[in-house]
Amino acid sequence: MNWLHVTASLALSGDTDSLRRIILSLTTMKIISTTIFLSALIACSSKNGVPSIGMGRTVQDSVLSMMNTVSKKITNEGPIAWLQYFEETPGFFMSVDGQIAFVNNDSASYFIKNTLVKMIAGIKLQWSDIRIDPLTNTFASIGARFHEDINYNSGNLQAADGYFTAVAHLTDQGWKLHNIHWSIKH
């Protein structure tokens, strides 16, 4: 006999106390199952949603580590090192002073490998006032002041200052720059 038959039998027999207990049990079970469902839903949605305070701190720390590594690698290896940090997706782009410089990763890679490395002997890149805003557990917004000393193969030295913004994306290879904008002081 299932719960529906028991409930109907109790209702017909006039045993309202037993009927009330069954209804209360069913209501309690419904509340518990709804609570479990909502808890699971919240847990799953936070996986790619707004990060918790602890996860936000983890995102900030890991993106900051990437930014520090970027400046060291660029300074030690030159402009070719940028390719290690550009996300290799069709959505990647880079702009400078409001103009698109690279429409995708392929155009950035081609220019860096075939032109930039032939022009530049070295770069010293420094960040300051780095701001990292975790958007999700896998995306973060970055803003930072920068200073570059660019040593050209011709012997010329050029200093550049400005502001850098980017969206970082956590990939299987670690944090990568999904898009970049350089705003240079003129």
Side-chain angles (χ1 to χ4, degrees):
M1 198 179 268
N2 65 30
W3 69 270
L4 187 57
H5 288 115
V6 171
T7 305
S9 297
L10 290 172
L12 291 174
S13 71
D15 188 354
T16 57
D17 287 335
S18 296
L19 184 60
R20 197 179 344 237
R21 281 193 301 267
I22 288 176
I23 292 172
L24 183 59
S25 292
L26 291 173
T27 303
T28 302
M29 286 173 38
K30 190 173 185 177
I31 290 170
I32 290 170
S33 63
T34 302
T35 302
I36 291 170
F37 172 76
L38 289 175
S39 296
L41 185 64
I42 289 168
C44 290
S45 69
S46 68
K47 187 172 188 178
N48 288 317
V50 177
S52 65
I53 293 170
M55 182 53 80
R57 181 39 96 198
T58 300
V59 169
Q60 286 177 322
D61 291 346
S62 58
V63 172
L64 180 60
S65 176
M66 178 204 59
M67 291 293 288
N68 290 330
T69 302
V70 164
S71 65
K72 287 176 189 166
K73 288 253 190 180
I74 298 302
T75 298
N76 293 331
E77 299 173 20
I80 196 74
W82 276 115
L83 297 178
Q84 299 170 43
Y85 298 97
F86 291 172
E87 188 172 28
E88 294 183 42
T89 63
F92 171 84
F93 68 91
M94 185 175 94
S95 59
V96 178
D97 290 337
Q99 300 293 316
I100 294 291
F102 303 126
V103 295
N104 56 32
N105 186 283
D106 290 341
S107 63
S109 180
Y110 182 84
F111 179 78
I112 290 170
K113 288 177 181 176
N114 296 299
T115 304
L116 203 57
V117 297
K118 295 174 183 173
M119 294 172 48
I120 295 177
I123 300 174
K124 182 177 179 185
L125 173 63
Q126 297 170 310
W127 307 116
S128 62
D129 301 323
I130 299 173
R131 298 178 60 162
I132 299 164
D133 184 19
L135 303 173
T136 69
N137 294 339
T138 58
F139 283 95
S141 173
I142 304 167
R145 294 182 190 281
F146 73 87
H147 175 81
E148 285 183 310
D149 289 317
I150 303 169
N151 185 5
Y152 290 93
N153 286 331
S154 64
N156 292 338
L157 184 65
Q158 177 185 5
D161 293 289
Y163 202 76
F164 170 93
T165 57
V167 172
H169 180 219
L170 182 59
T171 69
D172 292 338
Q173 295 81 39
W175 286 99
K176 302 288 184 178
L177 298 168
H178 184 69
N179 56 54
I180 301 168
H181 183 262
W182 297 90
S183 179
I184 300 169
K185 285 186 191 177
H186 295 283

